[in-house]
Amino acid sequence: MTLVWAALALGSVYIIVALGFNIVMASNGLFNFAAPQFIMIGAFLGYAVFTADSSALTLTLVIVGAGTGGAVLGYLEERFAVRPLLKRGHRHGVLVTTIGVAVVIEGVAFALFGSDALPVPFEGASTTLSWLGGGIQIVDVTLISLAIVLALGFHFASKYTRWGLSGRAVTADKEAALLRGVNSGRVSVTAFALSGGLLTVCGIFIGVKLQASYHLGTELVLIGFVAFALGGFGSYLGAILGGLFLGALQMGTAFFLGGEYQLLVVYGVLLAVLLIKPTGILGDRRIRSV
Amino acid sequence: MSSAPFPTSMRFQRIAGWISRAPSVLPIVIALLAILVPLAFFGQYQQRQVVMIMVYTLIVSGLNLTFGFSGDLALGHVAMFATGAYVTAILANNGVDDILVALVCSAAAAAVVGLISGAPGLRLSSWSLAITSLFVVLLIPRVVVLATDLTGGRQGLSGIFNPTIFGFPLKFTGFYLLAGAITLLWLLGMRNFVDSRYGRALLVLRESRQLTQSVGLSPYKMRIRTYLIGSLPAGAAGTLYAYLVGFISPEAFTLNLAIAVLAAAVVGGTSSVWGAAVGSAILVLGPLQSSAFEQYSILTYGIFLLVAGLSFASGVAGPAKNAVRKFGGALGKLHVLQQARLLKNLQPEDATVVIPGQLLIARGVFKAFGGVKALDGAAITAEPGKITAILGSNGAGKTTLLNTISGFVSPDSGMITVGDTSLVDLPPDRIGQRGVGRTFQTPQIPHGMNVLDVVESGRFHQGPGLLASIMRLPSYREAQRENRTVALAALRFAGLEHLMFESAESLPLGTRRLLEVVRAVAREPNLLLLDEPAAGLDDVGLAELAQLVRRIREAGGTVIIVEHNVPFVMDLADEVHVMELGRTIASGTPGEIANDPAVIASYLGESLTAQADLEELR
């Protein structure tokens, strides 16, 4: 059972990453390579604050600060690294600049904190509870609930809020959406800011679980993408499915074959999914031609 | 073009011919100098640096081919590079030290890595290749450690020295020259590839996927082919690197290197052949040089990517290209000279274009989109030497029918044949190959092509083979000339040859429409589909279009026109099919259609202007 809890906890990290990709993709069809770097920022933020003082009050303050800061960074990314290229119709240049943003964030973290992974100390986070015959840490419980609540929230938001519907209209047919008065620029910038803010907040908790290292974002980008691809581009429920499957796959591989095979197996799954059903299990066909 | 703006004495022509080659010869001269000058004047340390630049040039240009030319971002060329290095090291440790053997094996192994990451990655859009290929780089240390017996694991492999060539030992100077030769030959091969129908087809692909398929090319195959070709130099670079350094370990092949390579590519200009060398030189002489810089290395690459990515147009090679062009202009109408040389090789006088029209039959075609029956048993016939029109109001299913014929929509049931071939269930590119040419409602003219190029692109599904194109064999020149000649004949057929060197994208709408038709004619089609060709044309444009379509009919072509403009069609067509709600409700000559009660009642009756049009015709 401990293994199942561990798989769920790891899976919830991937759900969060896939969610970050999906918020942007479902609003403008773009792949934001830099999304997982916001998690890394959150992790280092947690490290910097909690090494000084870790109490419930600071936690609230840090969450608010991280949310705001992450949203501002997300906004800046859209404004300066994405929009200028979209205006000139260079959709495939956007990938280069979002990679550029990712590498800049990683580079700053490397210059500030060096290459060692740093633990994010939060008192009580690693207290182990015993549930259904297996041990699970408080931080894992937090992550699992956070991931599922957020993904479901976005699923419904995309169906019922103005922002979610506008995003779906823009990805389905941009010109038609514009003619109907959808402000595609605002939808897009909202998506970047939302995903930036949320991932930075989640990053604090992920940092407590996985430690803060400059490499965290780049590692998550790849496995998070597999979760994203597996669940289906454009689908929030798919993100939950893909994340959970990958958590199980990783823990299962580590348990039965050994940790050194983890990435190879994940890669095999990614190749298989792309070959057999390139849009993922719950994917939206229309996003294919982006 | 008959009135060449320069004197035609033999001597002058020879000189002019030489000058016109300057843009292609100049980079080669500079490259030769860059290879030979360090050999003559610098010490071995600098010479090793030059080899390092060559190594990165090979990797970066492999990336350029995929990213700059076919538009798919790949980040895995470092993995192909690593594969080549490990193959070389393992061969050397097992007594195989012939460097040519190592080069071939490395390139082949790199292509396998390319196939594994590319075949799934390219199924989707360009960013999924970025991930599947970047992932391979992350796997390098894992795989190396899992195969420790072979690869030496984290300790790495040493003992890679004293290469031989045909059994003779290769000294450093020989190695240096070999590396230079390989790099130069690769860049020339790449230039030839880019300039061949395979490379130019990529320009078509960038404009539109549908257009690419309609000229008989498979986008997926094109992208895979380009990616695999780009993996070869990265593998070869691995061999050179292994023999240059003598020792390899997984630490040499990191994600950071992948990012550095991308930065070098973007700085040098991704859609440039020679820019790779510039970007690599900056990389090797700059960031990779100093160790003090290490703390900020990642940040620097990131900033490079951001800045270069934002000024995306064409990196440093863009301004350089412009400068060369201006310089060429100063040399005296360089373009005119090049064009004159091209024409001299063509001998357009004996050029002809054949339009072997075949019979099209479509029967009982059904297609539903959700609950909407777009086609509900539509049936049409089109004969060679006749112009067949499909009329109908919006939503009648005209364009859907056209799209089922050209394969973009697959019918739920029904039969469609051209000649003896059934088109049902064939993908659009196979239908294009089979001889079905088409035009689009909005003319699709690729950027950066002149009129002759655009017309020639209609024939890109056939012509010189890949190897012949890369090596510029005589068979390439032969086939290339044939394609050009027919393209020119098609232009002449339409009376547009005076425009052949104009920039195609800046032509007025009517001319672009004609150009689309000519592109389809150059393909010598068995069936020609025109999708609302008259939309937005003025009277002059309409007259020119009608004239061209009539000429195609006289030449024996089978033409199907989908149109809204009733008078235009009634005047032009030999056979008219009228569609309503996915069904064909009437077929016959324009005269019969104009008097058909069903047509008047159900379709034309709706609109007073259309009825007035009909009255006028009667």
Side-chain angles (χ1 to χ4, degrees):
Chain A
M1 203 60 210
T2 306
L3 195 66
V4 175
W5 290 131
L8 269 175
L10 193 59
S12 63
V13 174
Y14 302 142
I15 294 177
I16 292 170
V17 180
L19 192 67
F21 288 141
N22 208 34
I23 292 174
V24 171
M25 174 147 300
S27 322
N28 58 14
L30 294 175
F31 181 68
N32 180 14
F33 197 94
Q37 302 297 342
F38 288 85
I39 292 181
M40 185 262 280
I41 296 177
F44 274 112
L45 204 65
Y47 164 80
V49 176
F50 295 143
T51 34
D53 168 24
S54 78
S55 65
L57 179 68
T58 24
L59 182 64
T60 324
L61 283 177
V62 172
I63 287 178
V64 173
T68 323
V72 169
L73 278 180
Y75 168 80
L76 292 176
E77 181 190 0
E78 204 274 352
R79 191 68 196 72
F80 293 106
V82 174
R83 192 176 301 185
L85 287 170
L86 286 188
K87 267 191 191 150
R88 281 180 280 153
H90 280 305
R91 276 184 88 82
H92 87 238
V94 173
L95 195 51
V96 172
T97 49
T98 56
I99 292 180
V101 171
V103 177
V104 165
I105 296 176
E106 190 179 315
V108 170
F110 182 69
L112 287 178
F113 298 98
S115 62
D116 293 331
L118 304 167
V120 178
F122 189 77
E123 216 165 290
S126 54
T127 312
T128 308
L129 306 173
S130 183
W131 279 6
L132 300 174
I136 180 166
Q137 297 186 353
I138 299 243
V139 58
D140 291 345
V141 178
T142 319
L143 274 174
I144 296 170
S145 3
L146 200 60
I148 293 188
V149 167
L150 282 176
L152 286 177
F154 272 97
H155 173 68
F156 289 112
S158 77
K159 282 204 144 83
Y160 300 113
T161 68
R162 194 186 163 83
W163 171 76
L165 290 171
S166 308
R168 291 180 358 156
V170 173
T171 48
D173 185 339
K174 186 163 180 185
E175 276 179 30
L178 290 178
L179 288 175
R180 293 257 168 188
V182 172
N183 183 341
S184 73
R186 196 195 300 159
V187 172
S188 160
V189 84
T190 315
F192 271 89
L194 257 179
S195 106
L198 279 177
L199 289 189
T200 312
V201 171
C202 294
I204 303 169
F205 300 98
I206 294 177
V208 174
K209 179 177 170 58
L210 297 178
Q211 304 197 333
S213 90
Y214 81 102
H215 228 224
L216 182 62
T218 311
E219 277 161 20
L220 289 178
V221 83
L222 292 170
I223 303 180
F225 177 83
V226 184
F228 184 43
L230 192 70
F233 304 116
S235 160
Y236 290 103
L237 296 182
I240 301 185
L241 214 68
L244 291 181
F245 179 84
L246 264 170
L249 183 74
Q250 288 247 51
M251 294 315 284
T253 318
F255 188 73
F256 293 109
L257 289 175
E260 64 272 27
Y261 287 96
Q262 271 183 343
L263 274 181
L264 270 177
V265 171
V266 170
Y267 192 55
V269 168
L270 172 65
L271 298 188
V273 169
L274 289 178
L275 276 177
I276 298 163
K277 194 167 184 311
T279 50
I281 299 168
L282 298 179
D284 185 340
R285 247 196 113 62
R286 285 170 309 198
I287 292 183
R288 260 199 72 159
S289 55
V290 169
Chain B
M1 39 139 198
S2 50
S3 58
F6 51 85
T8 46
S9 82
M10 283 300 286
R11 193 163 166 210
F12 187 88
Q13 271 199 6
R14 201 173 308 142
I15 296 169
W18 275 107
I19 295 173
S20 73
R21 286 188 173 86
S24 51
V25 174
L26 203 63
I28 302 176
V29 173
I30 295 174
L32 280 174
L33 286 176
I35 295 170
L36 295 177
V37 167
L39 192 63
F41 300 108
F42 296 167
Q44 216 192 64
Y45 174 78
Q46 282 88 354
Q47 288 173 10
R48 295 175 71 87
Q49 293 261 334
V50 175
V51 178
M52 204 50 121
I53 295 176
M54 294 168 185
V55 165
Y56 285 108
T57 303
L58 287 169
I59 306 173
V60 169
S61 62
L63 167 61
N64 280 351
L65 201 54
T66 299
F67 186 39
F69 292 93
S70 73
D72 297 309
L73 177 55
L75 298 166
H77 286 80
V78 167
M80 300 161 181
F81 172 50
T83 308
Y86 269 100
V87 165
T88 306
I90 292 166
L91 284 175
N93 277 296
N94 289 287
V96 184
D97 53 8
D98 190 307
I99 194 165
L100 294 181
V101 174
L103 281 168
V104 171
C105 293
S106 298
V112 172
V113 173
L115 192 64
I116 293 172
S117 58
L122 289 169
R123 282 291 298 271
L124 212 61
S125 46
S126 50
W127 41 264
S128 73
L129 179 67
I131 300 282
T132 54
S133 59
L134 184 64
F135 213 127
V136 196
V137 182
L138 198 68
L139 291 178
I140 298 170
R142 268 76 174 185
V143 173
V144 166
V145 169
L146 283 176
T148 299
D149 291 345
L150 205 56
T151 61
R154 288 191 197 289
Q155 310 303 317
L157 274 182
S158 56
I160 319 156
F161 44 76
N162 298 338
T164 62
I165 185 165
F166 301 121
F168 299 102
L170 193 63
K171 295 272 167 41
F172 181 77
T173 306
F175 175 72
Y176 179 92
L177 284 173
L178 181 75
I182 288 170
T183 312
L184 188 55
L185 284 177
W186 155 255
L187 288 176
L188 287 174
M190 176 174 163
R191 184 203 66 182
N192 292 348
F193 174 82
V194 166
D195 201 35
S196 74
R197 69 185 174 106
Y198 299 96
R200 287 175 189 218
L202 296 173
L203 286 177
V204 179
L205 179 59
R206 269 215 211 155
E207 175 67 21
S208 144
R209 191 184 159 81
Q210 270 91 12
L211 172 62
T212 310
Q213 292 178 305
S214 79
V215 298
L217 299 168
S218 154
Y220 183 62
K221 264 190 218 154
M222 287 163 60
R223 293 160 69 204
I224 286 266
R225 175 170 50 218
T226 315
Y227 183 56
L228 288 186
I229 293 176
S231 66
L232 302 177
T239 298
L240 297 180
Y241 175 81
Y243 274 115
L244 180 69
V245 180
F247 165 80
I248 56 170
S249 79
E251 273 159 37
F253 313 104
T254 58
L255 289 174
N256 285 348
L257 185 62
I259 298 298
V261 165
L262 178 61
V266 176
V267 169
T270 52
S271 47
S272 127
V273 173
W274 305 99
V278 179
S280 304
I282 294 174
L283 179 70
V284 171
L285 301 177
L288 291 181
Q289 185 79 298
S290 67
S291 53
F293 158 86
E294 207 175 308
Q295 194 188 359
Y296 298 102
S297 61
I298 304 178
L299 184 56
T300 313
Y301 294 139
I303 292 172
F304 258 132
L305 281 180
L306 257 182
V307 173
L310 280 173
S311 54
F312 197 69
S314 43
V316 293
K321 236 184 236 168
N322 286 338
V324 168
R325 200 165 293 150
K326 272 188 196 139
F327 178 63
L331 271 180
K333 306 245 177 196
L334 198 61
H335 277 288
V336 178
L337 294 180
Q338 283 177 327
Q339 292 160 2
R341 182 158 58 91
L342 187 139
L343 282 178
K344 211 178 104 213
N345 290 335
L346 278 186
Q347 295 154 335
E349 286 74 21
D350 53 340
T352 50
V353 57
V354 192
I355 308 177
Q358 291 182 351
L359 178 67
L360 168 107
I361 303 176
R363 286 281 169 273
V365 185
F366 288 86
K367 177 71 193 180
F369 295 107
V372 182
K373 282 184 190 162
L375 291 177
D376 195 10
I380 61 163
T381 307
E383 293 170 33
K386 283 193 174 171
I387 299 167
T388 307
I390 307 177
L391 279 177
S393 52
N394 280 328
K398 306 181 303 284
T399 295
T400 310
L401 183 60
L402 207 65
N403 283 337
T404 49
I405 296 174
S406 54
F408 292 116
V409 172
S410 59
D412 299 333
S413 65
M415 68 155 254
I416 303 171
T417 55
V418 167
D420 303 328
T421 318
S422 165
L423 301 185
V424 177
D425 293 335
L426 286 184
D429 47 285
R430 293 283 301 281
I431 291 176
Q433 270 173 30
R434 173 57 186 79
V436 177
R438 70 167 289 167
T439 66
F440 297 88
Q441 287 184 10
T442 317
Q444 304 200 340
I445 306 289
H447 293 289
M449 278 186 157
N450 68 28
V451 169
L452 185 61
D453 286 340
V454 169
V455 176
E456 205 185 317
S457 72
R459 299 180 62 81
F460 277 165
H461 66 287
Q462 57 176 41
L466 185 59
L467 260 182
S469 302
I470 292 177
M471 294 162 74
R472 294 254 163 120
L473 299 179
S475 65
Y476 161 79
R477 290 174 195 282
E478 188 71 18
Q480 179 79 351
R481 185 178 313 140
E482 193 202 314
N483 269 351
R484 284 253 162 87
T485 309
V486 178
L488 189 55
L491 269 176
R492 171 169 295 185
F493 178 84
L496 293 177
E497 57 183 310
H498 58 286
L499 294 175
M500 64 194 215
F501 294 121
E502 301 287 315
S503 154
E505 59 195 296
S506 47
L507 294 174
L509 175 71
T511 321
R512 273 182 288 153
R513 282 261 161 75
L514 294 179
L515 183 56
E516 275 216 310
V517 179
V518 179
R519 174 171 61 202
V521 166
R523 190 235 165 290
E524 307 192 310
N526 303 124
L527 171 64
L528 184 56
L529 308 172
L530 307 179
D531 193 359
E532 301 193 4
L537 296 193
D538 59 13
D539 286 347
V540 179
L542 287 177
E544 283 175 349
L545 178 67
Q547 192 189 17
L548 176 56
V549 176
R550 285 201 180 96
R551 268 191 210 163
I552 297 171
R553 170 178 65 190
E554 307 319 326
T558 310
V559 183
I560 297 182
I561 275 194
V562 163
E563 231 341 301
H564 280 299
N565 188 330
V566 176
F568 176 74
V569 162
M570 292 300 219
D571 186 41
L572 185 63
D574 302 300
E575 281 283 320
V576 178
H577 298 276
V578 180
M579 290 187 68
E580 187 194 56
L581 298 174
R583 277 186 296 267
T584 315
I585 57 164
S587 304
T589 63
E592 288 163 8
I593 291 297
N595 292 306
D596 189 301
V599 175
I600 295 168
S602 72
Y603 159 55
L604 297 170
E606 289 170 7
S607 141
L608 284 174
T609 53
Q611 201 158 23
D613 286 342
L614 270 185
E615 300 276 322
E616 199 177 308
L617 282 170
R618 261 185 231 141

